[in-house]
Structures are given as C-alpha cells and as structure tokens.
Amino acid sequence: MQADLVVIGAGPAGMAAAATATEAGLSVVILDEQARAGGQIYRDVTRSAARRGDILGQDYSAGLPLAAGLEQPSITHVTRATVWQIAPDGAVAYSVDGRGAIVHGRRVLLATGALERPMPVPGWTLPGVMTAGAGQILIKESGVVAGRAVLAGSGPLLYLIAAQMVRAGTPPLALVETQSRRDTVAALRHLGGALRGWRYLVKGLSMLAEIRRAGVPRYTAASDIAVAGTDRAEALSFVAGGKRHRIACETVFLHHGVVPNMQAARSLDIPHRWNAAQACFVPETDPWGRTEIPNVFIAGDGAGIGGAKAAEQAGRLAALEAARDLDRISADARDRAAAPVRAALRGELAVRPFLDRAYPPYAAALQPADATVVCRCEEVTAGDIRGYAALGCKGPNQTKAFGRPGMGPCQGRYCGLTVVSILAAETGQGMDETGYYRVRPPLKPVTLGELAAMEETPAEDPAVMAADGR
Amino acid sequence: MKTASPFLEIDADAARVTVRLDGADLSLPAGANLAAALLAAGVPVFRHTPVSGAPRGPFCMMGACFDCLVEVDGVTRQACLLTVEEGLEIVRAGPATAESADAS
C-alpha cells in the first residue's frame, strides 16, 4: 500500500490534516490504534456524542465534523492499527489483528498527540489509580464512571472531568489541587494572552462553578500526596492548609498536565529541546511542522502542547505544505489557505502561557521520594536512579544498564521524563544535556507471528510513480 | 476476585455476552472496551508484575502504559485495545506465573 501522505494518529491533528490533504488532491492513508476516529480527546465521538453529549459537553461534540471529514474515497482509514516502525524514507510498519503490513508514504505526518505527564507519587502503581485522561476515556468510550473517586494534581483537565462526573450524577469525592495562590498571581503576568483566549477562561470558570454547586470539596496547594492501600487504592492522603487529610476512596485520578508523546519522533532521531515553560521536551519543527527529516512532519500536541483546537489547525498547516511540496498546490495557494489557519492557531495558543504558569506540575512528582517507583514496568524507584547517578551515571540510556528503567513494555513512556529530571538534579546538568532515552523500533511489542504474517507490498519504483503523476 | 464494582455504567442497556476469566464465566457488554468492561464488572486487578508480583490494573486506557496486559485466547495483549466478544478466554498473570506478563 502507498499514499502521498501517511498520517499516524486519528486525533484532531491527524483528522484535519487528512481532510485538508485530500482537498488538495493528495491520497491519504491514516493509521490509528483505535476502532473509531477521534484520538483521545474525541475518543469514540461518532458513537458517544449522540449518547452522552450532554455529559461530555459541546467541546467534545466538536470532534464530529472532523471524524466525518475522513469519510472520503481518497482517504483510507486503517483502524486498530498499531504502528511499530517508521523509516526515514516513509515506510511505516504496522499491525492489525496480529498481521503486519507496510504502507509507503511520500510524506509522513506524526500526529500521535500527548501522554499524561507521569505523576509518580507513593502508591501510584496500585490498581484503582489511573490518569485523569483514563477516567475521561472511560466516560467517553464506555459510559463507565467512577463511583467513589478523588481527583488529584493540577490543570484544567481536572475541572473538566470533575464537571463531567457531576453531570453524570457521581461527583468526585474531592478535588485535590497542587497549584498555589502564588502560581495564580505569577500567571497574571500572562493575563493579556489569557483574555485573548477568553473562551477558555469562561469555560474554566463555569466548570468551577458547576463543581462548587455540586458541593465537591476542593483543596489547593496540596503537598505530600500519597495513595494508601495494599492490593488496591483505598484512600488518598495529603497535606493542605497545614493539616493532613485522608479521603477514603476506590479510585484516584492523577493529572498534572500532558506532554508530547515523543516515541515516534524520537525513534527517527528527530532533535528535541527542553521547553521550560511547559516542562517537557518538544521536537524541533519549522512553522509547517516539518522536521529535520524533510519528508516527516509533526502536528498537534506531539509537537508541543496546544490543545485539540490548536492541533486541528497545525494538522491543516502540515497538510498544506505537504501538498505544496508534492506540487499539488502552488506556494501562493498554500499561503492563502494557511493565513486564516495561522490566525486561528495564534488565537488558540494565546491562553497557553497563562495556563502553563497557573497550573505547574506537582513539584514532588518531578523529584519523587527515594522509595517511590518511577519506572512502573521494571519497578525502579527514584532512590535507585539517584544511586546510579552517585555511581557516575550521567544519562538516561546508561541507567538502563544499571537497573532497566525504560526497558519494560511501555518503553519509557511513563518514566522517561522523571528519570531525566532526577538525573539532571543529581548531576547538576541541564535537561538538554542530560538527554532522553534512545527510542528504537519496534515502538510497540510485536510478535514473531506478526512479522511472519507480514503483507509486504513492495514500493513502486519512484520513477514510475512520477510518470503516472503520483 | 470479583468484587462490588467501584464503577457505574451510564448506559447499561447493551446486549451481554459470556467470556471466561481465569476459567469462570463472566457476563460483559458485547462490543465494549474490554478493560472498561472488566473494571465495570468489578475486576480491579488485571495482572501481577513479573518483578515483584505486585497487583496492577488499567492506568492509561489508551494503549501506552501496558499495565492492563492480560492473556486473551493465548496471546498477551492490552485489554484497553480490545473489544468484548462472546467466548473470549481471558487469563490473568498471577504472582506465580508472572513471567507470561511480558512475553509479548
């Protein structure tokens, strides 16, 4: 199989890119791990907006037109596709139902979105502790809502899931937030941008009002957060207002921001740099999302956190440049089409500096206590990492040889940032100097059976492709 | 291992099918996300880790964390990326047989 543009990920960036690319005359293959389009923010929107739109809110249903945009003959949407290798020449290997296959893209767009920032607190590996994003996915896709849950961390996503739980008739037991009044005051410096993004502020305030009306207890500037339990989560304990609190619960949803999912870009050795304001690594791209590898683009939260609406616009920009690059549209046509998209993107990003400053990550989860597990897969603790640093280990790849962090099935997705920040603090190096895990294919575990069942379609001769106008 | 579920189902009207979990029949909504359906059915522990034997359940629900690994019809897979179908044979890695948890 081949296409002008192979898009990896059917979230807002990928869906918008596919539709824009096809309007410009490109053939598109979009690969996505889920059974239906939407990504995580619009997870299962084509089924759930009608059923649970009242609980999930209007911003969720905004994913419907994007998903509908994939229903075109020149777009092949491969569902349940797990991408496990991306070659710099555009060959993308994936598996569906245990069968491997390769699609060749003349251009490739990585639209793999975000992951929850890892939030290693004591007890975070217990059954019953999940990310807030997971809590939302349960509501969106499955209509499953936690009955006795506490939300802990920082960021607007906590307000959104709390409001959705209130609307579903099962308000959370408490909202335990780590940001302080000092963060709010510091964020006021960015109020100008926030006012340009006033819709987000209005939405935030109305969600907070909804949570307050439902009588959900809210704590701020919380510290010393830990999940108690032996075989599963039984309570959340924390200190707030100078007092220790313990809230018995069955589910804990953790969240302190989202970060780019770097696995695909890192596997291609695309350079990343540390973004201090967002406290994450961000891949280097040009204003169209083009990376150091000229035929590979990144759009959406994977290129830096901007949210769903910004991702959509970034996807359009990448698609326009891919179409220009493949001579389907002129540079003038690209720029004309891009102008309103860029204006919309600027509008969407205006609120970000305010949000980033008002809801910083929970400091104690960036430098966890020695006994806290940081690598969930291999059960390596923060103290282990500090021990490796004391023995002279300077970088995250070396830590693998010391104690296997990042070498389990999640391949470092939920420990990488923590390991790097612990090492940086121990060695006194910066985050960029400390670096990140070298990510290698396969990006997801793949069985020998999948490889054996591979349907290899040889790439067409590029000369033939050019001659027939592809 | 089945306990009263800490999760509620908003629309519990889906047709149910029978799967087998560690050899026992369990009724789950057809076509549902397998990890979500097991949680809603009161199954909090999906496996025990190969390193310390600690219990684990779904964490990210988006295919990234691999904490919801279960053996389905003989293959270790992420439950959050699977759909409930009649007759699925689901086996959880216990503390004793934990090596199978990272076999895939």
Side-chain angles (χ1 to χ4, degrees):
Chain A
M1 192 162 48
Q2 57 189 317
D4 293 322
L5 181 66
V6 170
V7 179
I8 302 171
M15 293 190 292
T20 300
T22 204
E23 265 171 45
L26 304 188
S27 60
V28 177
V29 169
I30 182 165
L31 303 169
D32 188 77
E33 207 161 28
Q34 297 298 326
R36 286 165 297 276
Q40 305 310 330
I41 192 83
Y42 302 128
R43 178 88 168 242
D44 216 7
V45 66
T46 51
R47 293 201 313 180
S48 298
R51 284 190 198 171
R52 294 186 275 281
D54 51 337
I55 290 170
L56 294 165
Q58 279 180 359
D59 283 349
Y60 175 72
S61 302
L64 280 174
L66 286 172
L70 295 186
E71 304 296 326
Q72 302 191 46
S74 49
I75 300 178
T76 305
H77 177 194
V78 185
T79 60
R80 297 185 181 286
T82 296
V83 170
W84 43 266
Q85 182 168 3
I86 304 156
D89 68 356
V92 179
Y94 63 96
S95 295
V96 178
D97 284 334
R99 284 185 77 83
I102 290 181
V103 54
H104 296 267
R106 298 179 68 194
R107 298 294 176 273
V108 175
L109 174 64
L110 313 179
T112 53
L115 293 173
E116 294 260 353
R117 179 191 303 285
M119 192 167 158
V121 297
W124 77 308
T125 54
L126 286 168
V129 181
M130 305 175 84
T131 66
Q136 270 211 310
I137 289 165
L138 285 171
I139 304 178
K140 287 172 185 169
E141 185 185 26
S142 309
V144 166
V145 56
R148 297 179 63 239
V150 177
L151 309 181
S154 78
L157 181 68
L158 288 179
Y159 303 151
L160 180 57
I161 184 171
Q164 288 169 340
M165 290 174 75
V166 167
R167 289 175 216 149
T170 52
L173 301 177
L175 187 52
V176 179
E177 297 181 72
T178 55
Q179 83 284 350
S180 67
R181 182 169 293 272
R182 239 176 51 205
D183 296 316
T184 315
V185 171
L188 292 178
R189 192 157 65 82
H190 304 289
L191 193 62
L195 291 175
R196 272 185 287 138
W198 60 273
R199 278 187 190 84
Y200 289 100
L201 292 191
V202 170
K203 187 185 176 194
L205 290 172
S206 92
M207 288 188 301
L208 274 171
E210 218 175 334
I211 295 161
R212 198 175 311 120
R213 272 199 307 275
V216 177
R218 193 175 157 220
Y219 304 85
T220 54
S223 61
D224 214 3
I225 293 173
V227 183
T230 44
D231 287 334
R232 51 178 306 177
E234 288 163 13
L236 187 83
S237 78
F238 57 97
V239 172
K243 267 178 58 185
R244 174 158 292 283
H245 301 262
R246 187 179 195 277
I247 302 174
C249 61
E250 290 173 321
T251 304
V252 175
F253 289 129
L254 299 175
H255 172 79
H256 65 154
V258 297
V259 295
N261 180 353
M262 299 181 278
Q263 299 298 113
R266 291 270 185 193
S267 77
L268 284 161
D269 273 336
I270 289 166
H272 286 63
R273 64 183 185 287
W274 182 251
N275 178 319
Q278 296 203 326
C280 60
F281 287 105
V282 173
E284 288 180 6
T285 60
D286 77 3
W288 302 100
R290 185 192 299 273
T291 69
E292 193 182 74
I293 303 171
N295 56 326
V296 177
F297 294 74
I298 309 180
D301 274 357
I305 303 305
K309 299 274 187 183
E312 186 181 326
Q313 307 304 347
R316 295 197 173 105
L317 292 176
L320 288 170
E321 170 59 3
R324 202 268 330 147
D325 207 12
L326 296 172
D327 291 327
R328 301 307 159 76
I329 59 173
S330 66
D332 278 354
R334 175 200 66 184
D335 293 342
R336 272 195 307 278
V341 178
R342 285 205 192 282
L345 179 59
R346 274 194 301 276
E348 293 301 332
L349 294 177
V351 76
R352 282 290 142 186
F354 176 83
L355 292 179
D356 292 340
R357 189 60 197 86
Y359 299 102
Y362 173 47
L366 301 181
Q367 297 294 333
D370 278 350
T372 305
V373 166
V374 298
C375 167
R376 302 172 60 91
C377 298
E378 298 292 332
E379 299 180 69
V380 182
T381 65
D384 291 334
I385 305 292
R386 291 188 181 107
Y388 309 151
L391 291 172
C393 175
K394 291 209 176 337
N397 291 301
Q398 225 183 340
T399 62
K400 293 181 181 177
F402 282 78
R404 292 189 52 84
M407 295 178 77
C410 103
Q411 300 178 328
R413 286 170 175 85
Y414 285 106
C415 71
L417 285 177
T418 317
V419 167
V420 174
S421 41
I422 292 173
L423 286 174
E426 293 300 305
T427 62
Q429 298 181 110
M431 294 295 279
D432 284 316
E433 280 172 282
T434 307
Y436 194 77
Y437 291 140
R438 181 174 299 279
V439 176
R440 292 190 184 84
L443 294 168
K444 293 265 173 113
V446 52
T447 63
L448 287 174
E450 279 166 62
L451 294 177
M454 195 97 178
E455 299 165 4
E456 165 60 298
T457 331
E460 278 177 33
D461 182 339
V464 176
M465 287 165 69
D468 71 11
R470 289 189 53 88
Chain B
M1 289 290 277
K2 190 172 179 300
T3 56
S5 175
F7 292 90
L8 317 168
E9 287 174 79
I10 300 172
D11 39 19
D13 52 355
R16 301 239 153 196
V17 293
T18 302
V19 304
R20 287 175 66 80
L21 176 68
D22 297 332
D25 283 354
L26 186 64
S27 165
L28 299 179
N33 179 294
L34 178 61
L38 287 172
L39 286 174
V43 178
V45 177
F46 280 44
R47 67 185 183 105
H48 290 80
T49 63
V51 179
S52 73
R56 290 287 171 86
F59 177 70
C60 79
M61 287 302 292
M62 51 185 264
C65 76
F66 290 78
D67 261 326
C68 67
L69 289 176
V70 288
E71 196 181 296
V72 176
D73 297 339
V75 182
T76 303
R77 304 194 52 187
Q78 293 167 279
C80 77
L81 292 178
L82 295 177
T83 300
V84 173
E85 290 167 39
E86 171 78 41
L88 290 182
E89 284 281 349
I90 307 157
V91 177
R92 292 179 292 176
T97 59
E99 304 84 63
S100 60
D102 66 352
S104 73

